[in-house]
Amino acid sequence: MATGAAILTVPCSAGRSPKRSSQRRSSASLSVRASSDANTVTLLDYGAGNVRSVRNAIRHLGFGIRDVRSPEDILAADRLVFPGVGAFGSAMDVLNSTGMADALREYIRRDRPFLGICLGLQLLFDSSEENGPVSGLGVIPGVVRRFDSSKGLIVPHIGWNALEITKETQLLQGVDGHHVYFVHSYHALPSDANRDWISSICNYGDSFVASISMGNIQAVQFHPEKSGATGLSILKNFLSTKSSGAKVTPRRKASKLAKRVIACLDVRSNDNGDLVVTKGDQYDVRDHSSSKEVRNLGKPVDLASQYYIDGADEVSFLNITGFRDFPLGDLPMLEVLRCASEKVFVPLTVGGGIRDFTDANGRYYSSLEVASEYFRSGADKISIGSDAVYAAEAFLQSGVKTGKSSLEQISRVYGNQAVVVSIDPRRVYVNSPEDVPFKTVKVSSKGPSGEEYAWYQCTVSGGRDSRPIGAYELAKAVEELGAGEILLNCIDCDGQGCGFDIDLVKMVSDTVTIPVIASSGAGAVEHFSEVFEKTNASAALAAGIFHRKEVLDPTLSSLL
């Protein structure tokens, strides 16, 4: 399954480096005269995933948007952008049933300007092994396969890589040496048969196709709309009608996957009902002074925009107020996402309250409906907390995947790369591993009574309620249920500024084959280096160190 944002939109299936700084099958001829508005882009979009990000990026560059409503709209396009998120088979089902598959083949046969993004690249190939084999558009010879996690590779491939450019193209002008953002579990394989199409490759375990170019047909596996200034420049290269003729010189090798630094914003309403960014001390967000007010560190959209400018690889919003009386379309966090996605061109994650609920008017909303609205409003990933704990407990008890939990439903519809599970454990010291039926670790620092071991008890409801399941057991269960990433917090370290819980992060990141984000405790630049050097964490998240401007250098890329 490629991953990321979507705009028919059809579905898409380690040190740190500076980052942002002729078709073989034709179809029946469909005669439609192309439109002539040089400032309008046609988007192929059927509503899967985050369509807003690509729209915002195109509008940010000064272009208007015309949506595809019929196959004829495709053939009338001057420039067609085709991104996607979701499953290869589902996308082809939509394209075939609507007649758009033949229209796409004809459009490409005419060598009209085309840009595919993520699944928009994969669908050009002969077939995919995802729930298949499933036939693709058959424009490019080759097969799309899943990354092999059996050899220790973390899947999905999420994060920033530089490209190895193999072909001179205007699209990649100015990209050499810069990083772009990938999020996908499936990839197209380079071969002698498709060599002439490939304009760049990347390496993640093995080499895969990162971009293709043939005449006016372009496609990329990465997400330019989420690749900051570099990504915007790639989109501009495609959208601009005038070309300087300058070409990029292919030479530089692809980099390894870079570790990510994520800025987190805990968002809740204060006592006046205003949404503010706050920060907890072991999950307590109220000031310890006599006022006992909610700590107010700024406005969510303003801070998110600043962290994007400063160089954050991703921005994560955690909604710690339960807006359960609001009809879904009026949820305050939706407006935060809409506004932030107009200014922030890196991935946005939102968590908190993603579960089934009934509003004050008696209207029932499923967790899938809630997540869908978040995606439509600008989220690239959603984070599930308490609901995932309950689902994991039920799965471990019965050994049966019901497919009914929020985790399973959202993962099935949007792909596991779009689902993060947030784990909130508390350290419990024991004298011996035999004392508890949960996975323990030998701790780096002994407990208050000299205990040498600890297990990490998971909690729900913002850390208020403990559950009979450990972080190790929960992590393995949610991976099995469809999580694509784990956000690993630690209540004991939250707000303390003494560093990440290395014992916890190492235990979990050594156990699962999906990316783990270390969270809680960052108080200095060295803490980021430490967690990346001592564990297999793919990313590190922090909040207070950024909110309080304790990192003096304004660029987050200076952290490592």
Side-chain angles (χ1 to χ4, degrees):
M1 182 169 298
T3 70
I7 285 193
L8 318 202
T9 340
V10 167
C12 183
S13 73
R16 178 181 172 85
S17 307
K19 290 183 282 295
R20 293 195 289 139
S21 55
S22 101
Q23 286 59 44
R24 302 174 306 114
R25 184 183 299 173
S26 63
S27 59
S29 177
L30 297 172
S31 179
V32 178
R33 188 175 60 187
S35 63
S36 59
D37 188 346
N39 293 317
T40 299
V41 182
T42 301
L43 291 176
L44 221 152
D45 173 15
Y46 74 99
N50 176 11
V51 303
R52 188 174 294 266
S53 294
V54 178
R55 292 182 183 277
N56 286 338
I58 291 171
R59 287 171 177 150
H60 178 80
L61 293 169
F63 291 82
I65 294 170
R66 179 183 294 115
D67 288 305
V68 169
R69 305 296 182 193
S70 68
E72 290 75 20
D73 290 337
I74 293 175
L75 297 173
D78 272 342
R79 284 161 298 183
L80 182 65
V81 176
F82 178 44
V85 57
F88 191 104
S90 297
M92 284 307 302
D93 285 345
V94 172
L95 292 175
N96 286 324
S97 65
T98 58
M100 292 184 184
D102 283 343
L104 273 171
R105 293 186 185 106
E106 177 63 16
Y107 182 90
I108 293 171
R109 187 193 68 79
R110 296 177 183 180
D111 195 29
R112 303 292 298 152
F114 172 91
L115 176 63
I117 297 174
C118 200
L119 194 64
L121 175 143
Q122 294 183 10
L123 291 168
L124 296 176
F125 285 80
D126 285 329
S127 65
S128 172
E129 294 182 348
E130 182 182 1
N131 298 322
V134 178
S135 295
L137 292 171
V139 172
I140 304 174
V143 178
V144 175
R145 291 181 177 155
R146 193 178 192 276
F147 287 113
D148 186 1
S149 60
S150 66
K151 300 177 181 178
L153 199 64
I154 295 173
V155 181
H157 170 219
I158 300 179
W160 299 76
N161 283 88
L163 309 174
E164 181 178 342
I165 298 174
T166 61
K167 185 180 189 179
E168 295 184 354
T169 64
Q170 178 62 28
L171 185 71
L172 300 181
Q173 176 65 34
V175 175
D176 189 39
H178 294 277
H179 285 61
V180 290
Y181 182 79
F182 291 87
V183 50
H184 58 130
S185 297
Y186 287 79
H187 61 291
L189 298 171
S191 68
D192 290 342
N194 59 38
R195 179 186 302 165
D196 291 344
W197 282 89
I198 300 172
S199 57
S200 73
I201 60 173
C202 196
N203 189 287
Y204 190 64
D206 293 303
S207 293
F208 65 89
V209 177
S211 65
I212 63 95
S213 179
M214 182 74 75
N216 286 313
I217 311 305
Q218 318 283 336
V220 296
Q221 178 63 70
F222 54 88
H223 286 270
E225 79 282 6
K226 289 296 172 182
S227 298
T230 297
L232 291 175
S233 72
I234 292 170
L235 286 173
K236 186 176 181 180
N237 288 344
F238 172 75
L239 297 173
S240 297
T241 55
K242 293 182 180 180
S243 169
S244 64
K247 305 297 181 183
V248 65
T249 302
R251 279 299 169 265
R252 193 181 303 234
K253 294 291 185 180
S255 70
K256 292 182 179 180
L257 180 66
K259 301 292 188 178
R260 292 170 283 149
V261 172
I262 302 172
C264 179
L265 295 84
D266 293 336
V267 180
R268 66 158 290 164
S269 59
N270 62 15
D271 296 332
N272 297 320
D274 302 318
L275 277 186
V276 299
V277 175
T278 188
K279 182 66 189 82
D281 182 345
Q282 297 187 330
Y283 289 25
D284 180 5
V285 299
R286 291 195 175 272
D287 193 79
H288 292 166
S289 67
S290 58
S291 70
K292 298 294 182 182
E293 292 182 349
V294 173
R295 297 185 186 92
N296 184 350
L297 299 174
K299 296 180 179 180
V301 175
D302 291 345
L303 282 176
S305 301
Q306 188 59 53
Y307 294 148
Y308 163 65
I309 293 170
D310 288 346
D313 298 324
E314 298 182 22
V315 174
S316 179
F317 292 106
L318 178 59
N319 174 15
I320 57 177
T321 298
F323 296 105
R324 284 296 156 261
D325 292 333
F326 286 85
L328 181 58
D330 292 334
L331 283 171
M333 276 303 298
L334 296 179
E335 187 60 25
V336 170
L337 281 169
R338 292 179 189 119
C339 293
S341 66
E342 293 177 359
K343 300 179 179 180
V344 178
F345 297 102
V346 293
L348 293 173
T349 301
V350 63
I354 297 175
R355 60 172 67 88
D356 300 349
F357 78 94
T358 302
D359 67 19
N361 298 322
R363 167 72 160 88
Y364 169 78
Y365 298 93
S366 70
S367 57
L368 181 58
E369 287 179 283
V370 176
S372 297
E373 194 62 35
Y374 277 133
F375 287 130
R376 283 191 290 268
S377 297
D380 299 288
K381 297 183 280 188
I382 55 95
S383 177
I384 306 174
S386 300
D387 222 36
V389 178
Y390 299 133
E393 289 177 343
F395 170 62
L396 291 174
Q397 185 174 16
S398 67
V400 175
K401 300 179 189 177
T402 66
K404 296 180 180 179
S405 69
S406 59
L407 171 54
E408 293 168 280
Q409 291 183 64
I410 298 168
S411 177
R412 182 172 61 250
V413 173
Y414 291 101
N416 70 332
Q417 77 290 334
V419 183
V420 182
V421 167
S422 180
I423 301 179
D424 297 314
R426 182 178 283 111
R427 193 185 307 118
V428 180
Y429 291 102
V430 293
N431 291 310
S432 167
E434 285 71 38
D435 290 348
V436 291
F438 307 106
K439 175 73 173 181
T440 63
V441 294
K442 189 169 185 178
V443 292
S444 301
S445 300
K446 294 181 180 181
S449 300
E451 300 95 338
E452 294 185 349
Y453 296 90
W455 70 287
Y456 290 86
Q457 185 172 21
C458 296
T459 67
V460 295
S461 303
R464 294 186 295 275
D465 301 321
S466 298
R467 300 297 300 178
I469 185 172
Y472 172 91
E473 290 77 17
L474 179 59
K476 292 185 67 176
V478 297
E479 179 181 17
E480 184 73 16
L481 289 171
E485 202 165 18
I486 289 173
L487 172 57
L488 188 58
N489 307 290
C490 180
I491 296 175
D492 307 274
C493 297
D494 182 61
Q496 305 306 295
C498 297
F500 300 96
D501 190 320
I502 300 298
D503 297 330
L504 170 63
V505 177
K506 180 172 175 53
M507 176 182 71
V508 174
S509 63
D510 285 350
T511 299
V512 297
T513 63
I514 57 178
V516 172
I517 304 168
S519 175
S520 306
V525 171
E526 294 74 22
H527 294 152
F528 292 86
S529 300
E530 180 187 35
V531 76
F532 290 141
E533 290 168 0
K534 294 183 177 181
T535 78
N536 285 319
S538 298
L541 175 149
I545 189 174
F546 302 139
H547 303 335
R548 296 187 293 269
K549 302 187 184 300
E550 292 168 1
V551 176
L552 299 181
D553 191 307
T555 61
L556 299 184
S557 60
S558 69
L559 285 174
L560 301 177

